[in-house]
Amino acid sequence: MFHNEIGFLITLTAALVSILLVLLVYLIIRKGLEQVKRSRIEEYKALYNEPVFEFLLTGSFNSSLTIDKNSKREAFESLLSHYSEILEGQDEKENMQRFAEVYLSDYYREKLNSLKWSQRMNALYYIEDFHIKVLEEEIVRFLERKKISKDELVHSLRILAAFQHREFYQLVSEKYNTLTYLEYRTIFARLDDTLFSKFLEGFDELPAPMQYALLDMIGYKKDTRYLAFTEDAFQNNRGEVRIKALKSLAAIGYVQSVDPYLSLLKSPEWQERMLAAKLVGSLREKTALDELTQLLHDPVWWVRSQAGQSVMMFPEGRDVLQKVADNTKDLFARDMAVEWINRGGQRE
Amino acid sequence: MNGIMETIGHYFAYFILAYMVIVISFYAVVMIISVFQLRKEYQLDRDQSFGDYMEDIYTRPVSIIVPAYNEEAGIVQSVRSLLSINYPSFEVIVVNDGSKDGTLEKMIDQYEMQEVQKVVRKQVDCKPIKKIYQSALLPSLYLIDKENGGKADALNAGLNISHYPYICSLDGDSVLERDAFLKVMKPIIDSNEEVIASGGSIRIANGCDIQNGNMIKIGLSNHPLVIMQVIEYLRAFLMGRIGLSRHNLLLIISGAFGVFSKHWVVEAGGYKTDTVGEDMELVVRIHRLIKEKGMNKRIVYVPDPVCWTEVPEDITFLRRQRRRWHRGLFESLWTHRKLTLNPKYGPIGMISFPYFWIVEFLGPIVELSGYLYIIVSLFMGGIYIEFAILIFLLSCLYGSLFSTLAILLEEWSLRKYPKVSHLLKLFLYSLTETIWYRPLTVFWRCQGIWQMLRGEKGWGEMKRKGVSQ
């Protein structure tokens, strides 16, 4: 009755088991080969570690070097990648760039055209890490591919930002202006002052996510040259832009005049209260100390915590907190005061 | 009379066969989704440079809650391993849930815990807290001493004490990878908080070389039960959860390691204390809340292995664990039975719930009857033998072959086991799954259902020998 079905299932099972066996054999062979390759790469790495390091420091390479094997290339890739994380000096970085441009750029150019997404991504990572500037035009072309994934797009823009690409502002403001705020932030983090300022000039015309990212970066750089710009942005905007500007001002820890910000300690928005508390703490603004101490009673934990930290920044901060801890009936305020007395306030 | 019996016998066989075919097709679909997902990231050198995220990570500090009940053997090492994780801002809250051994004393001794006066904002219910300690050495380490109330209650107590916007529950004897938090927080940051909970793969620590809470070398135990559990975990995580997570259908974030947005956990009412499956129940409740509020939030799963945990090597404890899991599954599904096939809850109601009811919960009963059918048929002969062969072949597909495929998938994509012998061992064991391990676990799960019907309470805790040296 079921002969057909049984026959079918037996065939199916047998077929599947054989496929699995074939896969197993393939994977075992691959694992074996990989182990061999791994150890060969390790050998190359041990062999070339010193010359490569020497080259990165001095810029001169003694032995005549050819990269004729894949494993050799991977050894260099891994050595350079290791040093790219630890080397800080400008000369060393330029040497690394030179080395990578000579020995690895063709390889990455090829990889950018790979059919595999992961291979293209790897190439992008290394191009950025080693700063292979000869591939700049290549990246611009890469951006224009018909099918490009979001990750590739963001990464390519990051690279162009790091290379301070000539037409970067036009490219981003006109063509690639629909990314998210976090994506723009990783991109803008790589711009030098000239290009960054160009974006600030066009600030009002840019879409909101770019504005947020720019303001965030100012807070991150803590650069007082952008102070006037940020204060303007705070005064002239509403909503999220205003909060982000305030956040950057609080991070910079300095403003021309504290007056416009004092009323924020009573803002109905808890973020504004918290950021204002941070700002007056950095400024050690005496006239605000009482109000700051009041914020220890705030219903929002973040505000209380920031208030405690800011009070501690004042020379007499410890005594003020001690007084709160001894006298208040508000358990949350006491808790926070004690916590910051113990922490000592030196933590950012 | 005989005729009727025969008809019933036939239809029953058809029923089992049809069920198996449906489940196999479902598995196959989920598996294909997973393969594509894994394939895409195949050979990607690194997942992300975290430097770009540091600022964001600072604004998303995590409170790690470690419930501890009679964990004196491993608690000090667990905490030490936690303190060395690679994440810029976090606090560790160990909750001593009325242990009867020296858990509390060990912690106080080792980390110079000192009693502090803290106000507790009672956001979710929990048993009375006796004392709160803070470490004199490490200000971000807290210890709560409370009355015994079970794991969920301990988690709730930790939740009340926690300061930070994200919480992570962690089993006492798990070992985390150093980058675990970076990996699971990444989707939350990337999505700009659209993702409100995120879990990672759990792997099995038995057989690995772990010292002082750090993974030194990945290994594979020689114990058949452990090897089978390794296979089971791989299969569940690699095939099931990647596929489900892709479409926001995930109903389980393992209690062993997961990060939640505290806001949502509090909103949902914290962990439920009267169920044995509090981890799953919470995820279901959050899903439900999201839908009821009509918000666009997601729960995701990261395929990277982030946490190593000890599994039972002893058959008694394994049996208890499986019975308990099955009960927990039922309790979660039953509490939220309203969601089943309710279009209001979208894919969760229409796909996840039916899947968990039919495949996960009722599956063992059908499978068990399949096995019984095979045994009985052998005595009946004739047409029944053919039924038996069919059922057996299907269960080979169902059990062994999918598991074997999972092993190969792991080797193909993630490649965590270093030796060829590991791969071979896993492969061969996985082929035997249908013959012994699968029937065993199916039997235990059915026992779990049986216990539940009889209204039995109580289950043994797992005895740990400690993974760390």
Side-chain angles (χ1 to χ4, degrees):
Chain A
M1 179 178 176
F2 288 114
H3 288 293
N4 282 339
E5 284 84 349
I6 292 178
F8 170 72
L9 273 181
I10 289 180
T11 326
L12 182 68
T13 314
L16 283 174
V17 171
S18 359
I19 293 174
L20 289 176
L21 276 174
V22 171
L23 280 175
L24 176 73
V25 172
Y26 160 71
L27 287 169
I28 287 179
I29 294 173
R30 195 182 79 168
K31 207 176 182 89
L33 286 179
E34 210 150 81
Q35 274 164 3
V36 173
K37 190 176 164 197
R38 207 54 267 160
S39 63
R40 206 177 301 141
I41 292 177
E42 290 305 318
E43 276 168 32
Y44 278 126
K45 276 172 78 175
L47 191 65
Y48 286 107
N49 186 14
E50 236 169 281
V52 166
F53 187 60
E54 183 78 23
F55 173 83
L56 292 177
L57 289 183
T58 62
S60 61
F61 211 88
N62 302 337
S63 58
S64 60
L65 175 78
T66 46
I67 296 191
D68 44 0
K69 291 199 193 79
N70 263 329
S71 46
K72 213 177 198 176
R73 183 178 301 115
E74 282 185 38
F76 280 108
E77 195 174 60
S78 140
L79 281 174
L80 280 193
S81 167
H82 168 68
Y83 286 121
S84 77
E85 278 167 26
I86 52 177
L87 285 180
E88 287 292 338
Q90 200 52 41
D91 290 347
E92 285 90 343
K93 282 192 173 159
E94 273 164 25
N95 288 338
M96 171 175 302
Q97 180 182 344
R98 228 158 29 102
F99 186 96
E101 286 183 346
V102 172
Y103 291 111
L104 297 169
S105 57
D106 287 339
Y107 173 60
Y108 293 130
R109 183 175 293 132
E110 209 173 288
K111 264 197 166 185
L112 279 179
N113 292 315
S114 164
L115 289 176
K116 285 187 193 145
W117 175 84
S118 53
Q119 294 304 310
R120 298 195 299 270
M121 281 303 285
N122 284 342
L124 290 173
Y125 275 121
Y126 288 119
I127 290 172
E128 183 180 15
D129 282 358
F130 307 151
H131 212 88
I132 309 183
K133 210 158 178 235
V134 288
L135 293 178
E136 185 171 337
E137 290 309 313
E138 203 73 29
I139 299 287
V140 176
R141 266 198 296 282
F142 184 76
L143 263 175
E144 281 157 8
R145 287 163 66 113
K146 271 202 202 84
K147 274 178 77 182
I148 183 166
S149 71
K150 188 82 180 273
D151 293 307
E152 289 167 286
L153 175 74
V154 172
H155 209 114
S156 306
L157 289 174
R158 257 165 64 171
I159 294 172
L160 290 180
F163 290 173
Q164 315 304 328
H165 181 63
R166 268 172 298 112
E167 282 148 33
F168 190 71
Y169 178 74
Q170 289 79 349
L171 203 62
V172 171
S173 62
E174 284 160 23
K175 199 158 172 201
Y176 301 105
N177 49 18
T178 54
L179 303 182
T180 68
Y181 138 69
L182 286 171
E183 285 159 350
Y184 281 123
R185 219 180 49 191
T186 68
I187 293 168
F188 292 157
R190 288 158 171 75
L191 294 176
D192 65 10
D193 289 334
T194 324
L195 258 177
F196 192 74
S197 304
K198 206 163 178 183
F199 275 92
L200 293 188
E201 280 163 33
F203 187 82
D204 292 329
E205 270 79 57
L206 295 174
M210 277 194 222
Q211 295 182 331
Y212 303 161
L214 290 168
L215 287 169
D216 252 23
M217 282 318 300
I218 291 176
Y220 185 73
K221 293 179 180 207
K222 294 194 174 62
D223 191 333
T224 44
R225 271 181 301 166
Y226 303 122
L227 193 64
F229 171 84
T230 317
E231 289 206 65
D232 282 347
F234 172 76
Q235 298 293 351
N236 302 334
N237 287 285
R238 314 254 110 247
E240 190 68 15
V241 174
R242 188 175 145 95
I243 297 256
K244 285 263 189 291
L246 182 59
K247 193 173 161 199
S248 296
L249 290 173
I252 297 174
Y254 183 76
V255 284
Q256 316 262 343
S257 148
V258 75
D259 295 335
Y261 305 96
L262 287 177
S263 63
L264 294 177
L265 290 169
K266 292 202 174 82
S267 161
E269 299 283 332
W270 71 264
Q271 287 97 333
E272 291 192 349
R273 293 200 298 277
M274 175 182 81
L275 293 169
K278 188 169 177 191
L279 185 61
V280 296
S282 315
L283 291 170
R284 297 186 181 73
E285 177 57 41
K286 273 249 160 67
T287 53
L289 185 55
D290 280 345
E291 265 181 77
L292 199 54
T293 316
Q294 278 308 306
L295 284 184
L296 282 169
H297 304 276
D298 199 273
V300 178
W301 182 85
W302 292 98
V303 180
R304 291 201 302 278
S305 177
Q306 182 58 55
Q309 185 179 7
S310 290
V311 171
M312 271 309 273
M313 289 180 179
F314 288 80
E316 65 273 41
R318 183 177 291 272
D319 302 330
V320 175
L321 288 182
Q322 193 62 53
K323 220 183 276 167
V324 174
D326 294 341
N327 299 328
T328 185
K329 288 202 177 86
D330 178 351
L331 292 174
F332 290 105
R334 193 179 67 196
D335 202 30
M336 194 52 80
V338 171
E339 189 164 330
W340 280 104
I341 292 171
N342 290 336
R343 273 208 220 171
Q346 71 281 59
R347 221 172 85 171
E348 250 300 279
Chain B
M1 190 61 205
N2 245 348
I4 296 174
M5 284 304 287
E6 213 160 87
T7 321
I8 292 176
H10 287 190
Y11 278 111
F12 190 52
Y14 281 126
F15 167 71
I16 295 175
L17 291 173
Y19 175 88
M20 288 179 137
V21 170
I22 292 173
V23 172
I24 289 172
S25 338
F26 186 88
Y27 279 158
V29 170
V30 172
M31 195 202 71
I32 289 167
I33 298 176
S34 293
V35 170
F36 276 102
Q37 190 69 11
L38 285 169
R39 175 76 211 176
K40 193 184 162 204
E41 289 172 14
Y42 171 60
Q43 281 189 342
L44 189 62
D45 275 4
R46 52 200 134 164
D47 19 33
Q48 192 49 257
S49 59
F50 292 108
D52 289 333
Y53 288 87
M54 270 311 167
E55 174 94 351
D56 290 296
I57 290 167
Y58 268 110
T59 62
R60 286 168 179 82
V62 181
S63 299
I64 305 167
I65 305 173
V66 187
Y69 178 71
N70 295 345
E71 300 259 10
E72 66 173 8
I75 191 69
V76 169
Q77 285 88 336
S78 294
V79 171
R80 188 173 303 146
S81 110
L82 271 178
L83 292 169
S84 69
I85 59 164
N86 183 15
Y87 198 77
S89 63
F90 64 92
E91 62 180 1
V92 177
I93 302 170
V94 178
V95 186
N96 176 37
D97 190 30
S99 294
K100 295 192 186 73
D101 68 352
T103 307
L104 187 73
E105 290 71 26
K106 273 232 157 126
M107 279 298 295
I108 293 178
D109 264 16
Q110 193 70 32
Y111 295 106
E112 297 186 23
M113 305 302 297
Q114 287 164 353
E115 198 179 337
V116 285
Q117 297 302 322
K118 256 201 167 304
V119 250
V120 182
R121 185 150 158 237
K122 209 164 186 181
Q123 307 198 70
V124 290
D125 264 340
C126 68
K127 286 267 165 63
I129 289 169
K130 289 190 256 179
K131 276 176 189 167
I132 301 172
Y133 301 84
Q134 185 174 21
S135 165
L137 302 170
L138 308 145
S140 60
L141 173 62
Y142 293 91
L143 171 66
I144 303 175
D145 188 24
K146 67 180 276 290
E147 285 173 20
N148 181 278
K151 187 176 165 193
D153 195 68
L155 288 169
N156 283 339
L159 193 70
N160 285 330
I161 299 291
S162 68
H163 299 112
Y164 294 147
Y166 288 90
I167 58 153
C168 167
S169 64
L170 197 69
D171 274 355
D173 211 350
S174 310
V175 174
L176 286 184
E177 298 248 323
R178 266 176 56 76
D179 288 336
F181 279 97
L182 293 176
K183 283 179 182 159
V184 294
M185 288 303 285
K186 191 174 169 281
I188 296 180
I189 295 168
D190 272 351
S191 69
N192 214 359
E193 297 179 12
E194 191 184 303
V195 172
I196 54 172
S198 150
S201 284
I202 312 292
R203 291 291 178 91
I204 288 172
N206 309 44
C208 297
D209 181 10
I210 295 170
Q211 280 165 19
N212 266 332
N214 288 314
M215 175 65 61
I216 305 293
K217 201 163 150 243
I218 296 173
L220 187 61
S221 164
N222 283 321
H223 201 295
L225 272 181
V226 175
I227 298 179
M228 287 318 292
Q229 288 180 82
V230 169
I231 295 167
E232 223 184 353
Y233 274 55
L234 274 178
R235 172 177 162 159
F237 281 109
L238 276 177
M239 296 180 34
R241 290 199 193 162
I242 297 177
L244 291 179
S245 159
R246 182 104 176 75
H247 300 281
N248 197 22
L249 297 171
L250 195 62
L251 287 190
I252 297 179
I253 280 191
S254 165
F257 184 69
V259 172
F260 292 87
S261 151
K262 183 159 101 180
H263 171 82
W264 282 89
V265 178
V266 171
E267 188 98 336
Y271 287 91
K272 195 163 170 250
T273 48
D274 56 357
T275 172
V276 288
E278 73 286 331
D279 41 0
M280 175 179 182
E281 204 277 335
L282 178 68
V283 174
V284 176
R285 199 138 33 91
I286 292 178
H287 263 305
R288 190 173 170 173
L289 202 63
I290 296 170
K291 287 287 175 210
E292 282 167 4
K293 294 194 153 205
M295 290 179 85
N296 187 23
K297 299 283 179 189
R298 284 184 301 135
I299 293 176
V300 301
Y301 156 73
V302 186
D304 269 327
V306 289
C307 172
W308 300 80
T309 192
E310 189 189 359
V311 296
E313 291 187 357
D314 186 302
I315 202 157
T316 326
F317 293 113
L318 184 61
R319 180 168 65 216
R320 277 187 207 161
Q321 182 196 47
R322 292 312 154 97
R323 286 188 199 155
R324 191 176 73 223
W325 282 3
H326 212 64
R327 237 166 86 171
L329 173 72
F330 173 76
E331 285 169 355
S332 298
L333 292 175
W334 185 249
T335 317
H336 300 282
R337 58 188 177 277
K338 203 180 112 193
L339 272 64
T340 317
L341 292 177
N342 188 338
K344 216 179 98 194
Y345 294 96
I348 290 288
M350 302 304 285
I351 302 174
S352 294
F353 258 74
Y355 164 78
F356 275 94
W357 275 118
I358 296 171
V359 179
E360 297 287 340
F361 180 70
L362 293 175
I365 299 181
V366 182
E367 275 183 68
L368 185 69
S369 30
Y371 296 130
L372 293 177
Y373 202 99
I374 293 177
I375 295 170
V376 173
S377 310
L378 292 179
F379 297 102
M380 311 274 284
I383 176 83
Y384 293 100
I385 296 281
E386 292 179 359
F387 273 127
I389 296 173
L390 273 179
I391 293 176
F392 178 73
L393 284 173
L394 279 175
S395 48
C396 283
L397 282 178
Y398 191 102
S400 295
L401 291 191
F402 275 109
S403 297
T404 315
L405 206 60
I407 300 301
L408 296 179
L409 203 56
E410 132 80 28
E411 171 57 29
W412 177 65
S413 58
L414 299 168
R415 261 175 285 169
K416 278 282 172 181
Y417 288 96
K419 290 192 194 154
V420 172
S421 63
H422 293 150
L423 174 60
L424 267 176
K425 209 160 48 170
L426 287 169
F427 185 88
L428 293 177
Y429 270 98
S430 70
L431 282 177
T432 67
E433 182 169 330
T434 313
I435 307 168
W436 64 287
Y437 185 73
R438 186 90 186 177
L440 267 181
T441 52
V442 160
F443 182 65
W444 294 333
R445 284 152 82 184
C446 288
Q447 277 190 324
I449 300 179
W450 177 242
Q451 281 183 323
M452 219 155 45
L453 291 175
R454 296 199 353 199
E456 267 176 46
K457 288 260 169 188
W459 49 85
E461 287 296 320
M462 168 173 164
K463 192 167 154 44
R464 297 182 186 277
K465 63 175 191 183
V467 285
S468 206
Q469 257 103 53

